Amino acid sequence: MSDDKKSDVIRVGSRKSELAMTQTKHVIQCLQKIYPKKEFEIVTMNTKGDKILDKSLPKIGEKSLFTEELELALENGRVNFVVHSLKDLPTTLPAGMALGAILKREDPRDAVVMSKKHKDKKTLASLPKDSVIGTSSLRRTAQLSRNYPHLKIENIRGNLNTRLKKLDDENGPYAAIILAAAGLKRMGWENRMSQLLEPEEALYAVGQGALGVECRESDWEIRSLLEPLFDLETTLRCVCERSFLKTLGGGCSAPVAVSSSLKKNELTITGAVWSLDGQTLIIDTLQSKFYLPDDDGEPPRKCPYQEPRLYCSIVPTKVSSVSLFAAEQLGMKLANSLIKKNALDVMSQARKEVLESK
């Protein structure tokens, strides 16, 4: 391939895990349907979160565990854009970076995957007392501890394949593990899911089930390329969720979770904060009406003289800035409602307990 030809190739950053590669290839396939003459190349790398497997995520205590190396490659021009699970992305990206697309959301719920020795069990409630459930998430740990006190919750790390392998080990401790349904569905492993946890049982992580495509904010060519991938409903819900988390100042070091929906132009979001043992719960639900143009309506116009601001690092493209602002404000309002109920004290105590634990 000539140097000129090589320079036309669009380089896409991805983690090396099978799930990350599957998600990256999905985004590329979507783009190739729109731009059949474009050529894409995947550039893979390991992140800090992939390398440190002997500690729970909250105890590592750093942001951007699964994104820092990818963003460095984006910053220095090694790649043109990066595909992420949106739940892995901090609510504020590094300076100069932006989310150039949010794709249509897959199922955001958590799924229960049973071990072979408990394949006859279909729900967490049916498992014997003191059965061990694996998860690396404080959010899941707190909710499971609250809703299923007869079970034991233990940490499990590794990518999707690694955790399933640990579960399938006949000598392993796990009766079941909790995973994001979206990842299992994207891998074609729906048959491994024994139970889907409804929001009444387990709220999900901010952005869970959605894919975000990160690019350089100043790269207008790539931003234009990515713009058709934006999904209106998913974008509004995720802006609201990310605004909620950003206002709280939460992350993987505190049990914070959400659920959201957009029906008949009304956006509804539930947000909650727990103590580590799940016994303290602060929760609220808010709604707001939105004006959403018809699909065949004229797209929002952009001011040619001023770069529009980002909304939780998301660029306003196909989605109206007015709607994005309203979604952002709703998330902030929900967070402030929880803050008035002492959510920050609960989160602070949870972080302290994580750091002090062995």
Side-chain angles (χ1 to χ4, degrees):
M1 182 181 295
S2 69
D3 290 341
D4 288 343
K5 177 65 175 176
K6 189 68 176 179
S7 65
D8 293 335
V9 175
I10 298 169
R11 297 177 303 280
V12 186
S14 173
R15 293 165 61 191
K16 290 184 177 180
S17 74
E18 186 176 357
L19 175 59
M21 289 291 289
T22 296
Q23 293 177 162
T24 298
K25 290 176 181 177
H26 170 70
V27 172
I28 290 174
Q29 288 170 359
C30 291
L31 288 170
Q32 285 184 321
K33 290 180 181 178
I34 305 169
Y35 312 105
K37 295 183 180 181
K38 295 286 186 182
E39 186 175 350
F40 298 86
E41 173 187 313
I42 299 176
V43 179
T44 61
M45 59 200 77
N46 284 321
T47 66
K48 186 175 296 185
D50 296 312
K51 298 171 185 175
I52 304 176
L53 298 177
D54 58 344
K55 295 182 181 179
S56 65
L57 294 176
K59 292 206 72 173
I60 300 174
E62 294 186 35
K63 297 180 180 179
S64 307
L65 283 174
F66 296 103
T67 62
E68 185 176 358
E69 290 79 0
L70 292 161
E71 287 172 333
L72 181 60
L74 187 57
E75 182 181 3
N76 63 30
R78 284 183 57 207
V79 299
N80 299 103
F81 64 82
V82 177
V83 178
H84 301 283
S85 293
L86 191 59
K87 68 183 180 67
D88 292 336
L89 276 178
T91 52
T92 300
L93 297 182
M97 302 299 162
L99 282 165
I102 305 291
L103 280 73
K104 185 175 177 60
R105 196 174 206 167
E106 180 53 272
D107 191 337
R109 293 174 293 179
D110 283 333
V112 179
V113 181
M114 294 290 183
S115 66
K116 293 178 180 177
K117 56 190 172 187
H118 291 291
K119 62 182 180 181
D120 59 320
K121 307 295 184 183
K122 298 300 180 184
T123 65
L124 291 174
S126 67
L127 285 170
K129 187 177 184 299
D130 293 331
S131 294
V132 176
I133 310 301
T135 178
S136 61
S137 163
L138 293 182
R139 168 187 61 82
R140 291 170 178 153
T141 297
Q143 293 183 87
L144 291 170
S145 298
R146 182 181 180 88
N147 297 328
Y148 301 96
H150 70 294
L151 303 176
K152 289 185 176 181
I153 317 301
E154 293 190 6
N155 184 61
I156 186 171
R157 286 290 317 280
N159 60 38
L160 189 58
N161 304 63
T162 300
R163 280 177 281 172
L164 288 172
K165 185 177 180 180
K166 290 179 179 179
L167 175 68
D168 293 336
D169 182 354
E170 294 182 359
N171 298 317
Y174 304 107
I177 60 176
I178 311 298
L179 300 169
L184 291 165
K185 290 186 175 185
R186 289 189 181 114
M187 294 296 291
W189 295 341
E190 293 96 331
N191 63 318
R192 292 301 307 261
M193 298 189 298
S194 299
Q195 178 186 7
L196 284 169
L197 298 177
E198 299 298 333
E200 295 76 17
E201 300 172 89
L203 300 181
Y204 42 81
V206 165
Q208 185 161 306
L211 296 180
V213 185
E214 185 178 7
C215 64
R216 292 180 291 275
E217 187 179 357
S218 60
D219 194 337
W220 289 94
E221 183 177 351
I222 292 297
R223 284 177 54 173
S224 176
L225 179 94
L226 297 173
E227 184 172 341
L229 299 183
F230 265 106
D231 179 76
L232 173 62
E233 176 183 338
T234 303
T235 301
L236 289 175
R237 288 172 61 190
C238 288
V239 165
C240 188
E241 293 173 17
R242 285 169 64 81
S243 176
F244 166 74
L245 184 62
K246 181 178 180 180
T247 305
L248 280 178
C252 66
S253 61
V256 178
V258 298
S259 70
S260 65
S261 63
L262 182 61
K263 298 178 180 178
K264 295 182 179 179
N265 289 13
E266 183 172 76
L267 178 60
T268 301
I269 181 170
T270 297
V273 171
W274 293 261
S275 58
L276 283 188
D277 61 8
Q279 295 309 299
T280 300
L281 167 63
I282 301 176
I283 188 169
D284 200 357
T285 300
L286 295 178
Q287 300 90 21
S288 180
K289 292 283 188 181
F290 281 74
Y291 169 71
L292 301 177
D294 296 334
D295 289 341
D296 59 352
E298 183 179 349
R301 296 182 180 181
K302 305 170 190 175
C303 175
Y305 308 108
Q306 185 177 3
E307 167 66 1
R309 77 173 180 88
L310 305 181
Y311 296 86
C312 293
S313 298
I314 297 172
V315 299
T317 52
K318 289 175 63 178
V319 186
S320 164
S321 293
V322 174
S323 295
L324 288 171
F325 178 76
E328 184 180 64
Q329 291 298 304
L330 181 62
M332 291 175 61
K333 185 177 179 181
L334 178 63
N336 285 322
S337 172
L338 267 60
I339 289 171
K340 290 178 181 177
K341 300 175 184 177
N342 297 319
L344 297 184
D345 290 340
V346 174
M347 294 169 64
S348 178
Q349 180 61 30
R351 292 191 185 100
K352 180 179 178 182
E353 291 176 17
V354 167
L355 293 175
E356 292 177 348
S357 64
K358 294 182 179 180

